Amino acid sequence: MAYDPNNVFAKILRGEIPCKKVLETEHALAFHDINPLAPLHVLVIPKGAYVSMADFSANAPAEEIAGFVRAVGETARMLGAEAEGYRVLSNVGLNGGQEVPHLHVHVFAGRPLGPMLAGRV
Ligand code: AMP
C-alpha cells in the first residue's frame, strides 16, 4: 500500500485537524481515539510517513524506531495502565482491518479486555 499524504493522521501531524494529545516527542505523537473501544483508547503514531509495521521496520532509521517504541511504553505509563495492564494492537492491511494508512498502534486500557480475538480459527 502506498503512503497517502492526505490520510487523517498525516493531517493531524500537520495540525490541519485537532487531536486530544497525550504525548508528543521528536519521533511520535499519541492521542485519544475519536471512537474509543475501551475506557482508555489511545493511538500512537510515528511522525514519519510509514504505512505499516513492515514499511516502518524496513525503512525507518533506528532512532525513529526507538523513539516510536519508547513513546508506546511512555504512553501506557502516562495513562496509568502499567499496574492493571493494557493491550497494544496494530491493524495492518485488508485482513488486519486497517482503516488509516499511516502506521499506528492502539493502546487499550481501563477494563479487562477479554479474549485477544473475537472468534476461533
Ligand atoms: P485502524 O482500523 O487500526 O486503522 O483504526 C483507525 C482508528 O483511527 C479508529 O479506531 C478510528 O476511530 C481512529 N480515528 C479516525 N479518525 C480519527 C481522528 N480524527 N482522531 C482520532 N482517532 C481517529
Side-chain angles (χ1 to χ4, degrees):
M1 192 192 290
Y3 188 82
D4 171 9
N6 286 319
N7 77 74
V8 67
F9 295 166
K11 289 180 179 173
I12 287 175
L13 283 168
R14 289 195 297 266
E16 293 168 10
I17 56 175
C19 71
K20 212 170 136 197
K21 196 184 292 185
V22 173
L23 171 73
E24 181 164 14
T25 69
E26 184 183 355
H27 295 299
L29 178 69
F31 52 94
H32 289 274
D33 196 292
I34 205 166
N35 183 23
L37 299 174
L40 294 169
H41 182 176
V42 169
L43 301 168
V44 190
I45 66 175
K47 287 188 170 175
Y50 304 99
V51 176
S52 66
M53 198 63 81
D55 181 17
F56 188 59
S57 60
N59 299 315
E63 319 84 73
E64 281 186 40
I65 294 174
F68 176 66
V69 174
R70 286 187 207 286
V72 175
E74 182 61 18
T75 296
R77 276 191 289 279
M78 288 178 71
L79 294 174
E82 285 291 334
E84 295 194 331
Y86 59 94
R87 181 170 294 159
V88 176
L89 179 149
S90 184
N91 296 316
V92 178
L94 211 55
N95 280 359
Q98 182 177 8
E99 291 170 11
V100 181
H102 182 113
L103 172 64
H104 52 283
V105 302
H106 299 253
V107 179
F108 300 103
R111 66 165 168 81
L113 294 163
M116 187 162 61
L117 290 177
R120 292 257 155 219
V121 178

